[in-house]
Amino acid sequence: MIKNLMRGLVPLALVLSPLAAPVPAASASAGVQLFPDALAELTEATEDPDGYQESAFPHWDQGLDTADGCDTRAEVLLAEAVEAPATGAGCALTDGRWTSYYDGQAVTDPALLRVDHLVPLAEAWASGASGWTAARRAKYANDQGAAATLTAVTARSLRAKAGQDPAAWVPDGNAAYCRYVGEWVGTKLRWGLSVDKDEMEALKLFADGPCEETVVLRSTAPR
């Protein structure tokens, strides 16, 4: 599985993504780390998927602005729009334009987008969230406190991801995988989630090669 992951890394390593630029040493302060350093802070542990149900992570809630009539999903779409959509009654969104970074596709119909939990709910459960309170799981499922936790992507790319971790899936065919693995690690650190052995080995392949200068933005999740 990890061997399959290496296909295409060499040519794509020559393409710098927005998050793969070198960071001056003076900038590597609290809240900002290079990918290999952030990866080293993760705890490796065996995953336990037993008992997972999507209903254990209530979503979508009323969002950051409870008076705007938009739930978390709609607020993410509004925040990530390249061109703002029109907002109608009940926060119905029409028109607008987005770019799905998983596959680089431009989208002008919000109905074709899905808001993905970058670290999927089942993955979060198996990596430590099973021991959280229901209230904390709801905060995770609706987290807009870090831009990476939730992202608007095409339904097609979300089906391809199929809830898999980076040992089995990363964005393909463009330079987005460095951004993706950096945000994956940042999200796991934000929420104190572990990684399993295969996941860690896959992430190390990126850290030791094409993504070693990717920036990880560090933050702490709400309690």
Side-chain angles (χ1 to χ4, degrees), residues 68-139:
D68 67 1
C70 298
D71 63 12
T72 295
R73 178 187 181 277
E75 288 186 354
V76 171
L77 292 178
L78 287 167
E80 295 194 0
V82 177
E83 294 178 4
T87 306
C91 200
L93 305 181
T94 54
D95 301 320
R97 185 166 65 88
W98 293 261
T99 299
S100 165
Y101 96 78
Y102 286 4
D103 54 11
Q105 294 298 304
V107 179
T108 56
D109 181 357
L112 300 179
L113 292 166
R114 302 293 182 268
V115 172
D116 184 36
H117 295 90
L118 188 126
V119 175
L121 300 180
E123 171 74 21
W125 175 274
S127 303
S130 61
W132 296 350
T133 63
R136 184 163 177 78
R137 287 195 291 268
K139 288 179 180 179

Side-chain angles (χ1 to χ4, degrees), residues 51-77:
Y52 168 72
Q53 293 183 336
E54 187 176 342
S55 60
F57 294 83
H59 62 288
W60 306 105
D61 67 11
Q62 293 180 304
L64 296 178
D65 183 353
T66 58
D68 67 1
C70 298
D71 63 12
T72 295
R73 178 187 181 277
E75 288 186 354
V76 171
L77 292 178

Side-chain angles (χ1 to χ4, degrees), residues 5 36 40 42 57 61 86 96 104 112 133 138 151 172 181 187 196 200-201:
L5 190 64
L42 284 172
F57 294 83
D61 67 11
L112 300 179
T133 63
T151 187
D172 188 30
V181 295
T187 301
D196 65 25
M200 178 63 86
E201 289 181 359

Side-chain angles (χ1 to χ4, degrees), residues 7 15 18 33 44 97 105 121 168 172 175 219:
R7 290 185 300 176
V15 183
Q33 286 181 296
E44 186 175 323
R97 185 166 65 88
Q105 294 298 304
L121 300 180
D172 188 30
S219 60

Side-chain angles (χ1 to χ4, degrees), residues 5 18 28 54 58 74 88 90-91 104 122 124 140 146-147 150 163 168 173 182 188 191 198 200-201 207 212 214 217:
L5 190 64
E54 187 176 342
C91 200
Y140 177 82
L150 300 171
K188 287 224 160 177
W191 288 93
D198 287 347
M200 178 63 86
E201 289 181 359
E212 63 181 342
T214 292
L217 302 181

